[in-house]
Each structure stands twice: as C-alpha cells, then as structure tokens.
Amino acid sequence: MVSGKEYVTRVFEQVKANNSHEDEFLQAVEEVFHSLIPVFDKYPKYITENILARLVEPERIISFRVPWLDDNGQVQVNRGYRVQFSSAIGPYKGGLRFHPSVNQSIVKFLGFEQIFKNSLTGLPIGGGKGGANFDPKGKSDNEIMRFTQSFMTELQKHIGPDMDVPAGDIGVGGREIGYLFGQYKRLNGYQNGVLTGKGLTFGGSLARTEATGYGVIYFTKCMLEANGHDFKDKTAIVSGSGNVAIYAIEKLQALGAKVIAVSDSSGFVHDPDGIDLDLLKQVKEVDRDRVIAYTQKRKNSTFTEAKAGSIWSLKADLAFPCATQNELNGDDAKVLVENGVIAVAEGANMPSTLDAVAVFQEEGILFAPGKAANAGGVAVSALEMSQNSSRLAWTFDEVDQKLVDIMTTIYTNSAEAAKEFDLEGDLVAGANIAGFLKVAQAMSSQGLV
C-alpha cells in the first residue's frame, strides 16, 4: 500500500512537471499538499481514486483577448481569464482581479485556494477565479466602463447564476461590478444572481462591503480567545488600504485595538496616534488617492516609500497582511517576531511566503491562514446569492450575525481538524484538511468526472 507521503510526493512531482513556470500556483499547491499527508494515510481510498491529481487540475481554463478603446481613441488589448477549478460542491465561485500582474499562474493559485476557502464556509459553492492584466489605476470611468463591457462580452458565455458566479477582487470594486452586471444584463436579460458584490439598488447584500475585513477580525477573535488573549489595548499593523484593510481596521478599532499603520504599493503610513479611519476612507474611497495623502492632513503621521522600508519593521502586537500575495517574507516574519508580535492573520490571499509561515509556526506565533481567515467575503457573497434566489433582502445585522457564525464555525472546524490529525494548534493544516475532506467526499460520491 502506498503511503500518504509517497502519494503526495508523486502527485506534486507531476504538478511541478506540468506547471513548471507557474510559481504562485506551485507555492499554493505545495502548502496544501504537505498538510494532507495524514489524510491519505487515514483514508487510502482517496489514493485509489487519485483524488489529489484530479483536484489539482482545473476543470476548465478560459483565456481570451479584451480589446477596448481608450479616451484618445487608441485601441488597447488586454488578456482575460476565468479558471473554473472545481464544481464538486456547487457552482464555481470566486472573484475577478484587474491588475497588471495577473497571469495564468496567479488566477490558478487563487482558484485553487478558493476551493478550500469556499468549502470551509459550509455553503454550497465551488472554486473559481478570474481577471485580466488590466490596470484600473489612472483610467477614467469611461475607459473602465469600455474595458469591463468588452471583458464581460466574452466572459458572459461561460458564467451564470447556477454555473459560475464571479465577484470582485483587487481592482474590481462596486464601480466595476456595476459595469460588468450592466453588460451581462444587456446581453442575457436580468439575472440577479450572476454576480455578487452588486450595488444595493440591484440585488446587492448589506454587509458585503465589510465582510472580508470584518471576517478576518471575527476569525482572529476566536483564535485569540482560545489562547487567552483579546484585542483590548493591542497595537496592530494592517497592510493594504483597500476594502479588506479598511474594514479590518474598522472592526479592530471597535474591539479596542489601536491600528498604527497602513500601506499601498507606494509605501506605508505610520500614525502612532492610531489611524484616523474617516480620513483613510476619504483618501482611498472618495478621493481614490495614494496613502501618502493621509499624512498631509495628519501631522504626527509619516510616510515611508516602499523601496526605503517595510511596514513589517514596525513594532506591534498583531499583524494583518491584507494587500497581496507574498508581501510578507521570511525576513519580515523574523522582524515581527523580534518585535513581539503575538498573532498574524492573513486578510489577503497567500500574503505570507512559505518561509514566513515556517518562522511563525516555529516561534509559536498564532497564525491564521488566508483561506480560513479571509473567507468572510465569499461567505457573504454566497449569502447574497441566497437573497437573490429568494427575492429577499436581509438587514445588516442579520447578515453580520450570519458572518460571525460562519467565521466561528470555520475556526472551530479548522482547529478540530488539526487536533484530529495530531496537529493541534496548526490552523494552516487544519484549514487545508477541513476544506479538503468535504470536497474529496463529494468528488468520491460523484464518480470519475
């Protein structure tokens, strides 16, 4: 009988051979695979059914060109993607990312992570992801509208309320979702549930904007309390300054923590008096400016350019990487540990490198992996789908309470899965195992498809 380690090693070698140029995807796969070795030892039928090799291969990858006109009348061309990774437990569900870094490796890693994240929510949604190498920064509203309309003209052939339900991600907020929904409706008629993150006037859900940031803090609250800590009087660093970061800060402040720093790709702001959330929202959500603008109205705050220093060099009790993948490396992790950090929770997708995660685990730092901690966004997206299907609109408090319940359950299930496989306290392994088992059971039941 092949052991779990032998099976996982064999499949990972195949994955590396078939995807040798896709670094982000291989990183995500390696992190999950290592956690699953004891699962295959306990359930050898999944080796016989070759579940892992089947799961790691997307059901479908769609790549397409996106031609559009800029404001100067010049023809521009970008590349669009949709990776429909797994529909074992429900329709494909995952965001769209508009950013110049987007390529097939990025959307595959995001889609692979989404399988486990969506499974952890307990809701019937499969894993998918998409996007384009389009940069919305510096573009006019009309340019963004023309691009999103062209993008949706192709994407609409492959999505639907019971097939694939995209949402937003980096570079895709309420404005972009509105344009995408309008173009889908123009081509297919009004189908409320085809996108989530919609405006409240056309089928969106209250608390969706806040969901990912709030969810990270709800999960972290469970993790801290289970280990004898809370947020009161703790200092925190939150990287990023977009939707996830802003609402993580909002909930942190509500629970008694003091957030002292935020960032964007240009650098980071340090405000020892505590981040002024209203000012940050004005800068990022209204003015759509860079974080350096914050310092112009907050005299004790300072700005450090990205090339001159890292936000992770600041001393704090809690750290929340909420910007993008691989933003926190092994050296950053060591500095955080030296500065006395007690907990790190990922608000972005795979923001910590494997080296960084290893440092946190070796040093006994409480660590919440993104696929568990940042599942609040997709959870409320699924709740938006439920409201659309039933033609109902729930109150903010109703949705928020459901989010609290979901994040608490994710923490509990991850912690218990880790304990069941003699990995108590390892939430990375626990989240991977709990997410995998539900998908594996569904795949096994549905036969060789």
Side-chain angles (χ1 to χ4, degrees), residues 27 310 312 321 324-337 346 350-360:
Q27 179 183 339
S310 167
W312 310 119
T324 191
Q325 68 271 4
N326 292 331
E327 59 171 295
L328 197 166
N329 61 35
D331 290 336
D332 296 325
K334 291 174 183 176
V335 172
L336 284 170
V337 172
E346 296 186 322
M350 203 172 73
S352 307
T353 64
L354 295 177
D355 287 346
V357 176
V359 169
F360 295 137

Side-chain angles (χ1 to χ4, degrees), residues 85-108:
F85 225 115
S86 172
S87 60
I89 61 175
Y92 309 106
K93 186 81 191 79
L96 299 170
R97 175 176 294 191
F98 291 170
H99 191 272
S101 67
V102 168
N103 55 33
Q104 184 167 293
S105 176
I106 296 286
V107 291
K108 281 177 67 178

Side-chain angles (χ1 to χ4, degrees), residues 72 86 179 197 215 225 231 248 267 311 327 337 352 354 366 373 380 403 434:
N72 296 319
S86 172
Y179 293 151
E225 289 177 348
F231 287 114
I311 191 172
E327 59 171 295
V337 172
S352 307
L354 295 177
L366 300 177
V380 174
L403 175 60

Side-chain angles (χ1 to χ4, degrees), residues 52-341:
L52 203 53
R54 291 158 56 192
L55 183 62
V56 81
E57 193 66 34
E59 293 177 16
R60 194 171 297 104
I61 300 177
I62 302 149
S63 176
F64 51 94
R65 74 174 177 225
V66 187
W68 57 283
L69 281 177
D70 66 22
D71 286 344
N72 296 319
Q74 300 297 310
V75 175
Q76 304 291 337
V77 181
N78 287 94
R79 181 176 293 175
Y81 298 93
R82 188 66 179 171
V83 174
Q84 297 174 333
F85 225 115
S86 172
S87 60
I89 61 175
Y92 309 106
K93 186 81 191 79
L96 299 170
R97 175 176 294 191
F98 291 170
H99 191 272
S101 67
V102 168
N103 55 33
Q104 184 167 293
S105 176
I106 296 286
V107 291
K108 281 177 67 178
F109 117 66
L110 292 168
F112 185 69
E113 289 276 294
Q114 201 77 40
I115 299 170
F116 305 94
K117 182 188 301 185
N118 293 359
S119 173
L120 285 167
T121 67
L123 301 168
I125 43 177
K129 206 75 177 184
N133 62 348
F134 169 78
D135 189 356
K137 290 179 182 175
K139 304 293 193 303
S140 70
D141 287 351
N142 282 332
E143 287 177 320
I144 288 172
M145 181 176 68
R146 288 192 289 270
F147 173 81
T148 54
Q149 288 176 339
S150 181
F151 181 87
M152 180 54 84
T153 298
E154 178 62 30
L155 183 66
Q156 56 92 24
K157 303 172 187 176
H158 311 287
I159 64 175
D162 297 310
M163 179 194 310
D164 185 349
V165 183
D169 193 80
I170 293 173
V172 180
R175 172 182 55 176
E176 290 77 16
I177 291 291
Y179 293 151
L180 289 164
F181 183 80
Q183 185 69 354
Y184 184 90
K185 177 171 66 71
R186 181 184 192 185
L187 297 170
N188 297 280
Y190 198 98
Q191 297 182 41
N192 227 7
V194 71
L195 287 166
T196 57
K198 301 183 296 295
L200 295 176
T201 57
F202 56 101
S205 174
L206 288 165
R208 175 60 190 90
T209 301
E210 297 86 354
T212 308
Y214 278 19
V216 173
I217 307 310
Y218 293 149
F219 186 96
T220 307
K221 182 174 184 287
C222 293
M223 181 176 70
L224 290 175
E225 289 177 348
N227 290 275
H229 299 286
D230 59 28
F231 287 114
K232 186 172 175 54
D233 299 325
K234 299 289 193 306
T235 54
I237 301 166
V238 179
S239 70
S241 50
N243 184 67
V244 180
I246 284 173
Y247 291 99
I249 293 169
E250 184 170 279
K251 186 55 66 173
L252 278 166
Q253 292 179 342
L255 294 175
K258 182 166 121 176
V259 180
I260 60 170
V262 293
S263 67
D264 61 19
S265 58
S266 66
F268 70 90
V269 166
H270 178 213
D271 188 340
D273 298 327
I275 292 296
D276 182 327
L277 186 61
D278 290 338
L279 175 57
L280 181 64
K281 286 183 176 181
Q282 176 68 36
V283 169
K284 299 304 295 186
E285 296 182 338
V286 179
D287 300 338
R288 295 183 184 274
D289 209 340
R290 310 298 279 165
V291 291
I292 192 174
Y294 176 97
T295 62
Q296 297 166 6
K297 298 180 180 180
R298 190 80 166 171
K299 64 179 182 180
N300 288 337
S301 65
T302 58
F303 175 76
T304 303
E305 291 186 4
K307 62 184 178 182
S310 167
I311 191 172
W312 310 119
S313 65
L314 298 173
K315 181 178 177 60
D317 302 307
L318 311 170
F320 297 87
C322 295
T324 191
Q325 68 271 4
N326 292 331
E327 59 171 295
L328 197 166
N329 61 35
D331 290 336
D332 296 325
K334 291 174 183 176
V335 172
L336 284 170
V337 172
E338 289 169 4
N339 283 338
V341 75

